[in-house]
Amino acid sequence: MHIQSVNNYSTDIHDILELANKENAYFISSWDKNDRILNIDSHLVEQSVHQQEHKNTYIMSKDMEILKKQISLYLSKQGIETPKDCITVVSNGTSAAFISLLQTFKRGATNFLFIGPIYFTYIHLLNIFGKKIYHYEINLFEKITFNFITLEKEIQENNIHSIILIQPFFGSGITLKNSILEKFISLCEKHHIYLLIDYVYGNMEWNSSSHIHNTKLIQLADTSNFCILYESISKRIFLNGMKNAVIFSSPKFISDINTDSEICLGSISYIQESLLHTIYSPDNIKYVNQFIINALECASNNYDLLCTLILGTDFKLCKSTCGYFTLLGIPKIHFKSSKDQEIINEIYNETGIVTIPHSRYYYNSSEYYCFRINLATEAYELLNAIEKILHICGNSGNCDIH
């Protein structure tokens, strides 16, 4: 069986964050971008802050008609017709996840399946609401394939009502092709299974020249009765302090999301709305896309340097092709303990480097300690950190960075 039940899982990472906040700690698994490298033009931020037409207004997901038309018009210029009633906006990706999950709850879903590593918010919410959780395990260090005949059989046997799929797979820089995602959507359509596609870090393939929207995937979501897709351009340009998320789905889902969002999430700030207006303006959209291209080039270059650094060692780096993160695996034989929590402290005590084990995202390995690496950081700092870890594990790096 590929599908296994999830039990006794803790989503608490306060102990790791306490280490990360210590003086001189290097948080290699961070979700922020280093301020000393590539930054978005401050003029774009200032434009958003100064658009104060709605500063005294409650801005709800059901409103923002002009903004939704603006997004719809942009998509139309890219070759797909997406009516504004297939689009809505919420304050951030976590809000999008919650309000989308709520739609499945209202429609009677009780058994949830996530594919590969999962952001712990999902498990936390599903536990709160007493849902049954299942996990489809994948190996991020090998080629990922799905036997959809077997998958369909196991989904039916476990009476799965909803699937949660994060793309790229959380913290890995590995994404599925549109053709595979289309098969997931078709499978869910066939069996009336709700599919949530978390695309917050999506559409950032290193070899692509377009990073605003995956138009093919939006089209699939809009024409499905069971798929909800959400993404966040603000995350791609590291404006974590003024985030937003755009949700694409069928008109019925969007209508229900708008109603529930007003009650459960409340309003978004005028700056969050203004940021999207600013991004989608003809004067800025090309610049935003180019900024993402440049940021991804930094991430890709850092990834290549890491690959060189661990050559000849027994470390494993997953074959990332997109985004700002990759996953490193270190054989547990290098540590005194095989328990992730103790390995965290061992690495920190010997190097000052703080890692988040990927078991926190329900990605477990008995042989390897796996953790996410933020590639959007200074190359020197990143390589120096890995060199320190190589040293305590008895590996000699092949790259002199001193």
Side-chain angles (χ1 to χ4, degrees):
M1 289 285 287
H2 296 89
I3 295 178
Q4 305 291 334
S5 180
V6 173
N7 298 296
N8 302 320
Y9 176 80
S10 171
T11 59
D12 186 8
I13 64 166
H14 80 276
D15 52 340
I16 298 173
L17 296 181
E18 284 181 4
L19 288 180
N21 289 327
K22 289 189 175 183
E23 189 177 358
N24 298 323
Y26 180 71
F27 189 18
I28 200 170
S29 300
S30 169
W31 38 79
D32 292 327
K33 180 179 69 64
N34 191 302
D35 284 337
R36 292 190 298 278
I37 66 173
L38 202 64
N39 288 303
I40 197 78
D41 189 339
S42 60
H43 180 60
L44 185 141
V45 175
E46 290 166 1
Q47 279 184 273
S48 303
V49 173
H50 292 316
Q51 291 180 31
Q52 300 186 33
E53 292 87 348
H54 297 143
K55 69 176 181 180
N56 297 319
T57 307
Y58 284 105
I59 306 171
M60 300 296 181
S61 293
K62 66 181 177 61
D63 302 319
M64 296 180 277
E65 293 298 307
I66 295 175
L67 174 57
K68 292 172 185 177
K69 286 180 181 178
Q70 196 174 0
I71 296 172
S72 181
L73 178 62
Y74 172 80
L75 292 170
S76 177
K77 291 179 179 178
Q78 307 310 305
I80 68 165
E81 298 302 323
T82 303
K84 62 182 178 61
D85 59 355
C86 290
I87 304 168
T88 198
V89 180
V90 293
S91 56
N92 52 57
T94 303
S95 298
F98 171 74
I99 207 69
S100 299
L101 277 175
L102 187 59
Q103 304 315 305
T104 69
F105 297 167
K106 290 169 61 179
R107 289 160 172 79
T110 58
N111 297 343
F112 288 76
L113 170 67
F114 55 83
I115 310 291
I118 192 79
Y119 188 52
F120 44 65
T121 293
Y122 291 101
I123 298 182
H124 188 66
L125 286 170
L126 292 173
N127 281 333
I128 287 175
F129 286 93
K131 305 301 181 181
K132 195 167 184 179
I133 312 173
Y134 295 86
H135 175 228
Y136 187 98
E137 188 170 344
I138 60 174
N139 187 339
L140 291 171
F141 295 97
E142 295 180 359
K143 184 178 180 180
I144 298 171
T145 59
F146 294 95
N147 183 325
F148 277 90
I149 295 175
T150 302
L151 178 60
E152 183 175 12
K153 179 175 178 290
E154 292 191 18
I155 284 173
Q156 290 178 289
E157 289 174 352
N158 289 281
N159 194 26
I160 299 299
H161 303 131
S162 180
I163 295 174
I164 302 170
L165 183 61
I166 296 179
Q167 286 295 288
F169 290 108
F170 191 81
S172 71
I174 295 175
T175 192
L176 297 174
K177 294 180 180 178
N178 283 341
S179 58
I180 302 298
L181 295 175
E182 186 170 7
K183 288 183 179 180
F184 271 102
I185 293 173
S186 297
L187 175 63
C188 291
E189 199 82 20
K190 176 181 177 182
H191 293 285
H192 293 190
I193 294 168
Y194 303 108
L195 175 63
L196 308 186
I197 302 179
D198 183 331
Y199 210 60
V200 166
Y201 281 111
N203 203 39
M204 292 200 293
E205 287 77 6
W206 293 337
N207 63 355
S208 174
S209 60
S210 177
H211 300 287
I212 303 301
H213 289 298
N214 182 332
T215 53
K216 174 64 174 176
L217 193 51
I218 290 173
Q219 197 168 31
L220 290 170
D222 288 351
T223 55
S224 168
N225 293 310
F226 294 90
C227 180
I228 303 176
L229 168 73
Y230 35 97
E231 58 175 70
S232 176
I233 295 177
S234 59
K235 291 288 285 185
R236 293 178 209 154
I237 58 178
F238 290 103
L239 289 181
N240 294 342
M242 49 196 300
K243 291 187 291 187
N244 49 50
V246 181
I247 304 176
F248 298 94
S249 191
S250 67
K252 174 58 178 169
F253 266 130
I254 294 298
S255 176
D256 289 348
I257 285 171
N258 284 337
T259 299
D260 294 335
S261 176
E262 183 169 1
I263 298 168
C264 300
L265 302 180
S267 64
I268 72 171
S269 79
Y270 86 87
I271 293 177
Q272 291 172 303
E273 181 204 31
S274 298
L275 176 63
L276 283 173
H277 277 293
T278 304
I279 286 173
Y280 282 99
S281 72
D283 291 339
N284 292 321
I285 194 109
K286 290 183 179 179
Y287 163 72
V288 169
N289 188 65
Q290 186 60 49
F291 173 84
I292 298 172
I293 290 173
N294 294 342
L296 291 175
E297 184 178 5
C298 290
S300 175
N301 289 341
N302 278 344
Y303 176 81
D304 290 341
L305 290 172
L306 288 180
C307 288
T308 301
L309 188 61
I310 67 168
L311 275 175
T313 74
D314 55 3
F315 285 22
K316 292 171 66 172
L317 200 63
C318 66
K319 292 179 172 58
S320 303
T321 61
C322 64
Y324 298 125
F325 301 100
T326 190
L327 197 67
L328 184 70
I330 304 174
K332 290 185 176 180
I333 58 171
H334 291 301
F335 303 104
K336 296 173 184 176
S337 174
S338 62
K339 296 179 179 179
D340 284 0
Q341 186 54 51
E342 295 180 12
I343 293 175
I344 295 169
N345 292 319
E346 189 174 334
I347 291 175
Y348 173 75
N349 290 335
E350 296 199 38
T351 67
I353 298 163
V354 181
T355 60
I356 297 184
H358 230 54
S359 52
R360 294 281 184 168
Y361 306 106
Y362 217 81
Y363 186 78
N364 296 298
S365 171
S366 59
E367 297 181 22
Y368 287 85
Y369 174 68
C370 302
F371 60 91
R372 178 179 71 180
I373 294 177
N374 185 343
L375 295 170
T377 189
E378 290 277 7
Y380 175 82
E381 292 180 351
L382 180 59
L383 295 179
N384 187 52
I386 297 300
E387 182 71 25
K388 287 179 180 178
I389 296 175
L390 284 166
H391 179 72
I392 67 167
C393 293
N395 284 283
S396 57
N398 295 334
C399 183
D400 183 5
I401 61 171
H402 301 290

